[in-house]
Amino acid sequence: MADTPTAAQTGLDVLWREEDYLYPSAKFIGQANLTDPTIFDRFSLDHIPEAFREYADLLSWDRYWDKTIDTSDPPFWKWFVGGKLNACYNCVDRHLDKYRNKTAIHFVSEPEGEAVRHITYQELWVQVNEFAALLKDMGLKAGDRVTIHLPMVPELPISMLACARLGVIHSVVFGGFSGKAAGERAADSQSRLIISMDSYWRAGKLLDHKEKADIAYVESEKAGHKVDAVLVWQRYNGKYSSPTALVSGRDVVVNDKLEQFRGKRVKPVSMPAEAPLFLMYTSGTTGRPKGMQHSIGGYMSYVTGTSKYIQDIHPEDVYWCMADIGWITGHSYIVYGPLSLGASSVMYEGAPTTPDAGRPWRIAEELGVNIFHTSPTAVRSLRKVGPDEPAKYHFHFKHMTTVGEPIEPEVWRWYYDVVGKREAVIVDTWWQTETGGFLCSTTPALHKMKPGSAGPAVAGIHPIIYDDDGNVVPAGSGRAGNICIQNPWPGLAQTIWGQPERFVETYFARYCKDRNSTDWHDWPYLAGDAAVQAEDGYYRILGRIDDVINVAGHRLGTKEIESAALTVKEVAEAAVVPAKDEIKGVMPELYVSLHPGYEASEALQKKIIDAVATELGPIAKPRHVWIVPDMPKTRSGKIMRRVLRSLSDRGDAGDVTTLANPEVVESIRKQVQS
Ligand code: WTA
């Protein structure tokens, strides 16, 4: 980890003016789930871990736990040990008595002419049971892994919940990711199945998705792991909508096969609380993605508690998290948290601006959405293309969320004034794939809002900012540092699948006080973000301190993009940097140098961009590929990404006197900034 840059080295700007506060309305407070400020006393550091019983008590347990936390193998904390439960039962079965005929999922297709599918809890229960019966018939059992590579369709949560019902560990790969990325993840997790779909709608086109399943299968095999079968859902029931042929003996069309399982029911398997519920792969400092492993009991407790108190979800609300289930936000705050609370959760298949920037607001009006959740990138783009659209529609949000990246105060104000119509409270939630649920956010009925700041911590989370020497950076100092969480909480990932050492090194080694200690106080969690805490205790998150680029709230590893570029035979060296972008916050810009004998050309630039899209997926496409004569390097031969980054941001290169080849910087600057 010695190579990891620190908050100070990232040169992040911490000069910012304090924004004025805004307050939740009396109407919001009057109906909120959490209005008792003593929650922060109940969840004080002295009351960890026992305080989290309050969240676990929101679930239905088959067997109550014996021990709230087991710290005997630090930092692999085990929560609610001895307890037994089933995640699917908690999200579906337990609501049937009261909410059988209430909508669980409102599914909105991208084509506006298609009717909305309102799936009741009863219907969800039937479909999950039938698909679980199919999986069981294929020999799937508790502890097996399954890779799910699906777009935003109801078959995605149905597949996840069916796995959860059997105790099968799902690993959902974002639908927009390439087949190759899905295959590598299937191999890493040793998945028995790949669950895919024939096609889906995105930005006005019915995209072939099945072709990616074929690539994934081959890729996994190349990586040494043979998947038993590929399950293919049909986007339109009864009709195969993909130009890619089915492979006989390997591919199973789920919709056909389900005919054999009509009316079949499968008892939810009573699972140990500390058994894994799912893996979610995320990028880190190496080319190998990390399969963050989340538990059943701890994770479910944490997402249920935070959905209730921070998202303020009541069963009668219509809740729309406009994000993709393929990311942690969708797992925690479209599927598991909201459904555990018996909410009605909206799923939208397509792009927010298809066919126009009024689309989200028409959906909100039609379905009576009153809680809305999305990313700053979506807010920026809706504001840019349709600043006056929200006013044209009759919808009223009581609550809105932002997640995934910092939101500029100016963008926040448009969200508040125009989307929220000055009625909705806003929470800016800071958290990560690793953390399962929210870490910092205002608690909506209790705290005032400050645009641009995530707010204080949520109940039971105790952040601390350390400088590089391990000194505490105090609130109000105006200095940034590395934000850590002092205590364990039940949403924290249990480990990295197959890489326990990496889990310890990445998140705990830096500030661990004693590697032999079984006292959790000695093991602060390093989030990997730089942050600054204002006088009032509010945190402002500045960005990653590691080699991760956060594009539109999606984490991309620089090493992954660089290795993709290096698959092009002409490329000798590649360096990717995050460059500021008006809509997406930042975008990757790729610098490459070529092997001798090759010439820069537009065709080559395109070839490199295509290689990144094939290896990883279109979201990782660089905004620009600069083919440069040589990379700026230190005398020890390390590429100076800092220099490239400031050139991409149209700044000057800073001090280059320590470089081995300072003269190259000026020529790159001319190329990039002309
Ligand atoms: C960033 C997404 C500023 C941060 C839930 C973090 C944020 C990374 C915020 C995790 C926020 C997330 N303000 N930055 N409200 N929320 N981030 O794993 O850098 O996809 O480390 O989880 O996104 O991204 P991930």
Side-chain angles (χ1 to χ4, degrees), residues 565-605:
L566 288 165
T567 63
V568 175
K569 72 170 187 315
E570 292 89 341
V571 174
E573 286 180 309
V576 71
V577 297
K580 292 199 184 95
D581 185 86
E582 191 198 345
I583 299 293
K584 297 193 169 174
V586 297
M587 289 270 296
E589 283 210 355
L590 183 58
Y591 289 81
V592 299
S593 66
L594 303 180
H595 286 296
Y598 292 110
E599 293 282 316
S601 69
E602 257 176 48
L604 184 54
Q605 276 172 321

Side-chain angles (χ1 to χ4, degrees), residues 43 45-54 68-69 79-80 488 490 520:
F43 281 74
L45 206 48
D46 309 339
H47 293 118
I48 305 295
E50 294 307 324
F52 284 110
R53 285 170 165 266
E54 210 171 303
T68 308
I69 195 170
W79 282 87
F80 308 122
W520 56 257

Side-chain angles (χ1 to χ4, degrees), residues 280 282-283 327-329 333 376 402-407 427-435 437-438 440 452-454 525 527-530 540-546 548 550 553-555:
M280 161 75 34
T282 189
S283 298
W327 307 110
I328 192 69
T329 300
Y333 299 113
T402 80
V403 60
E405 22 159 358
I407 182 163
V427 293
D428 176 345
T429 57
W430 169 70
W431 58 296
Q432 312 174 295
T433 304
E434 291 84 343
T435 71
F438 305 145
C440 286
S453 292
Y525 166 80
D529 279 324
R540 186 168 187 240
I541 307 300
L542 302 169
R544 302 289 310 176
I545 59 168
D546 57 13
V548 169
N550 193 342
H554 303 149
R555 278 163 70 173

Side-chain angles (χ1 to χ4, degrees), residues 87-105:
C88 177
Y89 176 86
N90 273 279
C91 290
V92 185
D93 305 51
R94 70 164 170 161
H95 303 310
L96 295 179
D97 277 352
K98 231 170 142 183
Y99 299 123
R100 193 178 297 275
N101 288 319
K102 189 174 102 71
T103 300
I105 296 170

Side-chain angles (χ1 to χ4, degrees), residues 157-189:
I158 288 168
S159 301
M160 292 161 71
L161 291 165
C163 287
R165 197 167 188 85
L166 299 173
V168 168
I169 304 167
H170 60 71
S171 164
V172 176
V173 178
F174 170 57
F177 263 167
S178 66
K180 189 158 188 278
E184 282 163 7
R185 286 157 179 74
D188 190 84
S189 59

Side-chain angles (χ1 to χ4, degrees), residues 49 68-69 80 114 134 151 247 319 322 325 338 396 416 432 441 460 528 536 604 610 612 619 641 670:
T68 308
I69 195 170
F80 308 122
E114 286 180 17
L134 184 156
V247 177
Y319 167 80
M322 195 176 71
I325 293 175
H396 291 277
Y416 184 77
Q432 312 174 295
S441 165
D536 59 11
L604 184 54
D610 289 348
V612 175
I619 61 155
R641 289 179 173 73
K670 281 202 190 114

